[in-house]
Structure formats: C-alpha cells, structure tokens
Amino acid sequence: MANDPKSGPTIIAIANQKGGVGKTTTTINLGAALAELKKRVLLIDLDPQGNASTGLGIGHDKREATTYDLLSGDVTIKEAIQQTMADRLNIVPATTDLSSADLELIDNNKRSFLLRDVLRSDETTSLDYDYILIDCPPSLNILTVNAMVAAHSLIVPLQSEFFALEGLSQLILTVRDVRQTANPDLKIEGIALTMYDRRNNLSLQVEDDARENMGDMVFKTVIPRNVRLSEAPSFAVSVLAYDSGSKGSTAYRALASELIERTKKKRAA
Ligand SMILES: Nc1ncnc2c1ncn2[C@@H]1O[C@H](COP(=O)(O)OP(=O)(O)O)[C@@H](O)[C@H]1O
Ligand SMILES: [Mg+2]
C-alpha cells in the first residue's frame, strides 16, 4: 500500500515560514549525511528560489524538468529526478516557475494534494528511496501545504536567535489544520536548533526555552554556526563533500543518525 509508511520512503518536509533559518542547509546536508549512511535519498526542491538545486550543482541551464512540471503532471517523477555529485543523493530541481499563484488557480479540492499524489504513488515507491526530503519555501502558502499533505512528518529548523520561537505557534496551527483536513497522520519529527553558538547566551536561552516547551521533540543534536556550511553551496556540494571533518559535517551526520533512530522506532511501533 503506497500510503503505508512501512512500505515506500519516509517523506519529511523541512519547514519553517521564516526565511534564513537553515531549511535549505538542513535539506542538503541532512540528505547528504543520510546518503553517506547508505540510505537512498531524494530531495524535492519546493522553493521557487531553487537554492537547494543551485547548492547541489544543478545550474539553471540544467533544470529542464522541475518540481513545477511534476506538480502540473507534465513529467513523471523519473523524468524529473537528477543525479547529484554524491552517490544515492538525487534531486528534483526548482525554478521560479514554481509560483504559488499558479497553484492557487487549480481546483480547490485538488491543489493541496498535487505533491502527495506524486510522492505517494506506486511509481515513486518503486524507485526504492529510503527518504524523501522536501525543502519548503519561507511561507505557509499552498506549496508548504502541499509538502505537509504529502509528508509523514516535519523537521522544523529553528535558528538559535531572538524571536526564534515566534511564528512556531502559527506553524503548529497550520499543521493542525492539515491534520484535520488532509493528512491526519502528519507528525512533527523534530525541531532542529540551527546556527547554534555555545558562547552566545542567546543560543543557550533559545535552547532552554525550546527544550522546556517542546521537550523530546527537540533533536538532541544541535547544528552549530559553522562557516563551512555557508561556503559549501558555492562549490555546489554538501558540506560533507566540501569539508568532511568540519563541525558542520559532524553535526549533520549526528542529526542523520538521530533521525534514523527516531524513524526506526516509529516504524517498529
Ligand atoms: N549552521 C550554519 N552556520 C553558518 N551558516 C549557516 C548555517 N545554516 C545556514 N547558514 C547560512 O544561513 C543562510 C540561510 O540559510 P538557509 O539554509 O538558506 O535558510 P532557509 O532555507 O531557511 O532560508 C545561508 O546563507 C546559509 O549558508
Ligand atoms: Mg531555503
């Protein structure tokens, strides 16, 4: 059964309506770390800015079949998937075509289910991915709703800065809404603290706040602020390929292991 998370890939949306909190960085590097651990990983670039595509070396000239074409039904998932430089790490790239405005035009009953229909299809299941990670745009628009309807769970990157927790309640309201209307099984897989700086009191405070309010939902692993993470995309590779021994690489490897443990437990349950 394609809807059973025990068969088919585990689909995770990386979402937070704030920009610049580390969604794309997490999608690319968590994906690369899972692939390094021998998991087969597909990234879906669901942000019209296409930063995940650029960051993994899919230049604009190479984006012939995109997430937009996939959602429009113009191409099959097989046709839209591209290889990256890393083994077992593939991506469906995005361009500015992917505007939420176009999706708004589609029949109300269907438009939230476009991505789900693709990712929970037998065709996608037959490709044998272990994980599909969806890089969401910085908004709670129809694109993000599509990701939430398609996904089994969400990872929410939280920048370790002032106001980090602001907006989280709005995100959670949207999750509730999606649960009530379209995807009752949607879970929050975890909250990942990003750009964490142990020397900064504010980081410690945000961490305390998050762990106090959200408990085990917060991943044990925190992602430090690490310049290698911001440099890697300009070399069109993940941080693991760019500087394997960096703190950024170590952190995303740890997050990948923690995620595998979490999803294993859930699948066994
Ligand atoms: N842990 C980190 N350390 C240093 N820079 C980071 C880190 N995470 C993200 N960045 C940088 O911060 C900026 C925003 O990150 P990005 O992943 O693009 O956020 P989003 O996708 O949520 O908008 C990018 O320039 C990125 O390289
Ligand atoms: Mg982004």
Side-chain angles (χ1 to χ4, degrees), residues 16-208:
N16 184 330
Q17 73 272 28
K18 271 197 183 182
V21 299
K23 287 182 292 297
T24 300
T25 305
T26 297
T27 304
I28 291 177
N29 295 302
L30 177 61
L34 288 166
E36 197 182 71
L37 290 167
K38 308 291 180 207
K39 302 298 180 190
R40 289 174 46 85
V41 182
L42 175 63
L43 308 183
I44 306 287
D45 193 344
L46 198 63
D47 185 346
Q49 292 186 60
N51 293 337
S53 311
T54 313
L56 283 171
I58 315 296
H60 287 273
D61 53 325
K62 285 187 260 167
R63 294 178 208 173
E64 271 155 35
T66 65
T67 310
Y68 178 74
D69 302 318
L70 193 61
L71 295 182
S72 319
D74 291 341
V75 298
T76 65
I77 183 132
K78 261 191 197 156
E79 289 167 331
I81 290 173
Q82 299 208 25
Q83 312 283 326
T84 71
M85 305 267 274
D87 290 340
R88 294 176 296 278
L89 181 65
N90 297 345
I91 186 168
V92 177
T95 59
T96 47
D97 284 0
L98 184 67
S99 88
S100 53
D102 283 345
L103 298 187
E104 303 282 359
L105 298 175
I106 297 170
D107 169 1
N108 212 345
N109 292 327
K110 279 192 188 157
R111 64 183 177 202
S112 305
F113 291 86
L114 299 172
L115 189 60
R116 183 184 182 102
D117 287 349
V118 173
L119 297 185
R120 305 273 188 122
S121 68
D122 291 339
E123 191 198 357
T124 300
T125 301
S126 76
L127 298 176
D128 230 11
Y129 286 104
D130 297 301
Y131 289 93
I132 297 180
L133 306 183
I134 308 167
D135 187 21
C136 292
S139 151
L140 291 172
N141 64 11
I142 186 72
L143 289 166
T144 298
V145 168
N146 260 270
M148 289 185 181
V149 173
H152 297 108
S153 64
L154 304 184
I155 290 179
V156 182
L158 211 60
Q159 189 179 353
S160 312
E161 280 205 345
F162 207 54
F163 298 134
L165 283 98
E166 265 202 1
L168 209 58
S169 51
Q170 208 189 342
L171 181 83
I172 288 170
L173 281 180
T174 308
V175 171
R176 262 188 218 154
D177 210 42
V178 168
R179 274 187 196 137
Q180 276 165 15
T181 54
N183 186 5
D185 299 327
L186 180 64
K187 300 188 175 57
I188 296 185
E189 195 70 60
I191 291 168
L193 296 170
T194 63
M195 298 181 232
Y196 189 85
D197 180 356
R198 278 183 205 289
R199 293 159 306 182
N200 185 336
N201 262 333
L202 210 50
S203 280
L204 302 176
Q205 227 174 302
V206 170
E207 181 178 16
D208 279 352

